[in-house]
Amino acid sequence: MIELSQVSKVFNPGRHNAFTALHGIDLSIKTGGVTVFKGPSGSGKTTLLSVIGCMARPTTGRIFLDGTEITGLPERFATLTRRQTFGFIFQNYNLIRGLTVLENTMIPAYPTGRNYQEIRQRALELLEKLKIESKVPMKVEHLSGGEQQRTAIARALINDPAVVIADEPTAHLDTELSMELLEIVNDLKNEGKTILVASHDPLIFESTAVDRVVSLRDGKMIDQETPR
Amino acid sequence: MRRSSIYLGFSLSCLVALGFLCFIYPHLSAEQYDRVLAEQKRVVRDLQLTDLCLFSEARYTRNLSQADWHAPFQDNPMAFDTFPSGSLVRPTVLLADDTP
Amino acid sequence: MKWLDRQRCLMDFTLSCVWRRKGKNLGFLLVYTLIIFVVCSVIFFSNALRRQADAVLHDAPEMIVQKMMAGRQELMPLAHQEDIASIRGVRSVEPRVWGYYFHPATQTNYTLIGRKDFRHGDDAVEVGQGVLRTWGAVQEDKLYFRMVDGKALDLKIAATFSAATDLVSADLIMMSQATFRRLTGMPDQFATDFSVRVRNPQECTTIAEKITGIVPGARPILREEIVRTYSALFNWRSGYMIVILSAAILAFCISAWDKATGLSAEEKAEIGILKGVGWGTSDILGMKFWEGMTVSLAAFFAGVIGAYIHVFFFSAPFFEHALKGWSILYPSFRLRPEVNLFELAVLFFLTVVPYTFITIIPIWRVSVTDPDLVMRQG
Amino acid sequence: MILSPAIIALEAGAVLAAGYAAYASAMAMQIIQGWDIASGSEQQLLLEKKTYLISTIFAWLMAYQIISLFLFSYTAENLHDLFVGAMCAAGSLNVNDYGYPTLVLKAFNCLLCGIWLIVNRTDNSVADYPLIKPKYKLLIGIAVLLLIEAIFQTTYFVQMKADVITSCCGMLFSETEETVAGGLAALPSYPTKVIFYLSVLITLRVGIHHYRTGRAALVYSLSAAWLLILSIAAVISFIAPHFYELPGHHCPFCILQREYHYIGYPLYLALFTGGIAGLGVGVIDRFKGSPSLHAAGPLLQKHLCLLSMIGYMLFAVISVYPMIFSDFRLEGY
């Protein structure tokens, strides 16, 4: 359960280039299910996701995660929460070049202090589930777009997060690969994970897997719809 | 093989090598050096020598402890005629005292 | 355990990154190793010489008494021998007859020693190995000298000092006292100085004081002082070398600073990704710590082992000239391999500590990259 | 000034350490003035980022302090043959008035850096950073001491003059010059032994009590502090002579040498671990009033208490070893 109350985010406050990315957002997201944030670029989708994901602090307002306030946490603790609760899939995949698929997948687990073999086992399982186990020893720059995407998904899942956050996951994928992605998202949903997606791709927000669509424009929520 | 294991293995073997060189090899070769040292000491005792033969470029640098103090410029630490030792050998405290 | 697992994982990651940029990192490692190698060689070499001097001079005469007149060294009248010997606590007083001989052909100074009980007769000499190497044109085992009155004198090489004693005997030419006096013109009633053996070394100072009272212008030189001066000398020399080398160390530190500050866009983006996927500032700091540590340790080991081999197996050929002086006559000797933790700690302080401190701030700068940066770029 | 590599190293290190400490304390000043945990302003975010830098600097300073403490005493040891009458480090430290003060300051700063790291650890373990202001005030104090230490050390080395062969006239040594034989006043061995081992036992007893019940933290800390001072006296009085097997040799530095198998290193490291961790228990106790530390504080105290007891136990075991396994008896001296 994620609750936002009156969350605003201003970049460069008090300066001439001050820019308000979010305006007093009130939102409550239930555990489980897929929520899509839609809206044109610059509407504040990404900022909203990074505020929810403990990556950036809101300028005003409060955020609760399962009833605990996480708004004012210093970075040391915000990082812990983020690592334990959220998995991130970025628009450009953001894999680290020069490292193998396996290494890239394991990266978020390194600082947790979990046993290496255990992490490796978990990464191999995930990669197998995502059907790219044959690419395990390959460097990521030699992968196709879809394979990179899957590696990024495996990386997001390595710490077994309750919430998966994806920012424009289909931006660089063709229709076929996008459909495959939706299947994966659907599987994750069935595993009970909460999935938050920012996208302006109709393929995503019109998909049957989506439980809720939130529209944003100029940093404000304009309407919420629940397709089913 | 984990990279850290490879690195730790490398470091450990370096450490062992270094430990061998610093602590074990000196003992192994001690006898040979003791013999040389004993011989050197015998010559020193026999001939009543006072200095090592390290700086022999000028007569007053050969026996540093027996300097006879009549060579020109020799008190000057930058003395050109004894350039390397003249400038590297510590100047006299008397000279050093004059410098503030 | 958890802590250990975490550190090893960070190390894994760091090593992957370092290995990925092999060329750049190996170049850096090489320079780092070279600096440690040179500084370490200086420290090993000068400390080994210092220990050697300490050990060898342990058997030198406890006291040398020179005679000074008007600030210049004079020949010591043999008449004083009895006076000094009668001081209580003095075991023996022996006149030393020695001097220098300049050989114009090779521009070299040799040390002449005249001995009363010279075994090989009046027309022979016993020489150090260095003399054989440098005198030039040693024919039929004969050395040609020019006497004080300008006449020539040729002496047969009857024996040589063993190569093992080169460190003390390389430039010695030993002959009978009569030949020495004939060659140099030193009068019969004089010696160069006296060597004094003392019963109880603790009383050296008192005896030296008494000697200055008996012999006008006496200048006693104690063995303790000689040893002490040599210690200071090697400290001074190695310190001087390090001051000279500090320019290199400084240059290296600047390049380390530069390396840590001037991260490529790719490296910066990587740190952004790491922060994005859940690494905290302390994790990045930890990762970078291991990066510095792995490189430093590798350089340290390679540099120290290299320096050890350089100094103790090959007698420091790279800079023996600078440390030993510009003698034409190098003694050849091998130093006793001995290293203590202190020397390694000093080395560590001179190289790894500045490197670490210099890189703290640049590393911190990259480590505090905002985690949402990677989202904003999208 | 003697230009030896060790002195250059120590001086370069001291300049770097003092410089970084000054830099850290400038930032500490900003933090003390501008800290507001509740605010999400950029100013506050920047200050939070700076805490990482300061923590890193101090972690390194701590490591530096420990090595430099050993290096300093070893340098003094190494230089003793340059001074008339100095038999070991105790003598070289006596060549001028700055030797011993520098050593004491170094040891003291080492303790303080350790305590600061403990406070920092405690503070970082809870989200509202309750100790932030006292922590950074302490830091400024430490920085000042580090600066003084650097000045003392420099003065010590600058004023140091080796007694070497110098003058061309008269005697080379001057009989008016006082020698630097540094005898250390040692407490009588037998009573010190009794008091020391009794104190160890009492400290351990209090420690076990604290570990079990979580009470008497202050008592443990005080007894640990007392034991720290007593231990140094004990090293001089009877522990070191037992290692030397010489009743008159009380030098606390020679045990760091190879002749005694570097036994001084584990001995002093154990002592410092015991002392720093023991003092840490008390310092945390002082701040336990803060509500958010109610859970984390006592747990950390327990760990520190255990660490401290292990340190002291190790120290005691090492000190007992030569008494049991050697024929040498100190009684009567």
Side-chain angles (χ1 to χ4, degrees), chain D residues 23-47:
Chain D
Y23 180 72
S25 59
M27 283 188 299
M29 218 89 92
Q30 291 173 9
I31 289 174
I32 290 171
Q33 281 165 9
W35 187 263
D36 177 12
I37 190 87
S39 148
S41 68
E42 280 183 33
Q43 157 81 6
Q44 170 65 16
L45 288 179
L46 187 68
L47 290 181

Side-chain angles (χ1 to χ4, degrees), chain A residues 112-182:
Chain A
T112 57
R114 278 157 66 195
N115 179 277
Y116 180 83
Q117 289 307 333
E118 188 189 312
I119 302 172
R120 198 181 128 95
Q121 206 49 49
R122 164 92 183 142
L124 288 173
E125 278 165 22
L126 280 171
L127 291 169
E128 197 183 326
K129 210 161 84 183
L130 292 166
K131 301 190 187 66
I132 44 168
E133 70 272 23
S134 60
K135 305 285 195 261
V136 162
M138 269 175 80
K139 299 249 164 79
V140 286
E141 58 264 36
H142 303 311
L143 297 181
S144 70
E147 287 161 348
Q148 289 194 24
Q149 174 78 280
R150 280 154 192 265
T151 310
I153 294 171
R155 183 177 69 182
L157 295 174
I158 186 81
N159 283 340
D160 200 17
V163 183
V164 176
I165 293 179
D167 187 22
E168 302 280 5
T170 56
H172 303 287
L173 299 181
D174 60 23
T175 312
E176 194 188 336
L177 286 173
S178 301
M179 295 311 289
E180 280 181 20
L181 175 81
L182 278 168

Side-chain angles (χ1 to χ4, degrees), chain C residues 349-367:
Chain C
F349 241 64
L350 280 171
T351 51
V352 178
V353 168
Y355 170 78
T356 314
F357 270 101
I358 280 294
T359 50
I360 290 178
I361 293 176
I363 285 175
W364 168 76
R365 281 227 175 95
V366 294
S367 72

Side-chain angles (χ1 to χ4, degrees), chain D residues 174-242:
Chain D
S174 93
E175 59 263 56
T176 52
E177 202 173 328
E178 81 277 37
T179 55
V180 289
L184 279 157
L187 298 171
S189 87
Y190 188 68
T192 316
K193 244 183 222 176
V194 173
I195 295 173
F196 172 72
Y197 287 109
L198 264 179
S199 299
V200 170
L201 288 179
I202 292 170
T203 307
L204 288 182
R205 181 68 197 86
V206 176
I208 291 167
H209 178 71
H210 172 70
Y211 190 76
R212 283 231 190 101
T213 64
R215 278 178 302 198
L218 215 57
V219 180
Y220 178 73
S221 190
L222 285 176
S223 62
W226 156 247
L227 193 55
L228 180 66
I229 298 165
L230 189 66
S231 299
I232 293 169
V235 168
I236 297 169
S237 164
F238 68 90
I239 297 175
H242 268 291

Side-chain angles (χ1 to χ4, degrees), chain C residues 299-320:
Chain C
F300 192 79
F301 281 133
V304 171
I305 292 175
Y308 188 99
I309 292 169
H310 172 224
V311 171
F312 295 116
F313 292 165
F314 295 103
S315 301
F318 290 159
F319 46 74
E320 61 178 10

